[in-house]
Amino acid sequence: PTDANGLNWGGLGQSATERCHHTPPLHRKPKRPMSRLLVVVDGSPEAAEALERAMDVADAVAGSELILLCIEPDPPAWELRRPRRLRTGTKQIISRARSTVAARGIQARTRLERGEKGDVVTRVAAQETCDQIFVAEPRSTLASRICLALAGAFTGRVAGRISSATGLPVTVIAPKTPR
């Protein structure tokens, strides 16, 4: 109902059923359950654990799909002019992960990409409209911990950057260390 000035007063004067009954717009897509899971595979035991956890989630949510992502770092500057093929090891890693997923009967697609891990994961998660990301934290050596401490003040950990850039839940599998 509208008043003398043509203003709609939000259903005042209507019965409760008249106010509550409405037809949803036809252009609105129904929400889909969490179904697209991005798993970064690199051949490490932690990446294998990340894949296992992602498969457990996929088993629990009907219609789930895994996106298996293997990332090669960018070539050094002196190699940029030479054509470069993906390493055989990269293809073996992704093939092994795909067969593990297929053995559990879970739908999966693979992507082989080059670049910095955080940037590639963020880009692929957006392109694939993923709902969750599973990533392994790399093992660290003394030298890598020192470099990370120096660089971390400026860049942060990869998983943290991925989480803040995508806004998605990120499951991080850390290396097991002896206590």
Side-chain angles (χ1 to χ4, degrees), residues 154-176:
F154 304 107
T155 61
R157 286 199 171 280
V158 172
R161 290 193 347 249
I162 292 168
S163 179
S164 65
T166 63
L168 296 173
V170 178
T171 301
V172 181
I173 309 300
K176 293 180 180 156

Side-chain angles (χ1 to χ4, degrees), residues 72-92:
E72 265 195 2
D74 278 327
W78 59 271
E79 271 189 17
L80 286 177
R81 295 186 191 270
R82 293 171 40 191
R84 186 169 175 210
R85 287 187 236 140
L86 290 170
R87 292 182 291 188
T88 306
T90 303
K91 292 177 184 176
Q92 289 173 345

Side-chain angles (χ1 to χ4, degrees), residues 50-124:
L51 181 59
E52 284 296 322
R53 290 195 188 181
M55 289 189 299
D56 291 343
V57 172
D59 281 338
V61 180
S64 291
E65 176 184 33
L66 297 183
I67 310 297
L68 306 174
L69 173 64
C70 194
I71 304 168
E72 265 195 2
D74 278 327
W78 59 271
E79 271 189 17
L80 286 177
R81 295 186 191 270
R82 293 171 40 191
R84 186 169 175 210
R85 287 187 236 140
L86 290 170
R87 292 182 291 188
T88 306
T90 303
K91 292 177 184 176
Q92 289 173 345
I93 289 167
I94 203 81
S95 176
R96 205 173 319 126
R98 187 169 179 81
S99 63
T100 300
V101 172
R104 295 247 314 243
I106 299 170
Q107 184 181 356
R109 288 185 292 125
T110 59
R111 294 212 29 187
L112 301 169
E113 301 282 338
R114 283 198 184 107
E116 193 277 322
K117 188 176 186 177
D119 295 338
V120 172
V121 171
T122 300
R123 178 174 39 83
V124 171

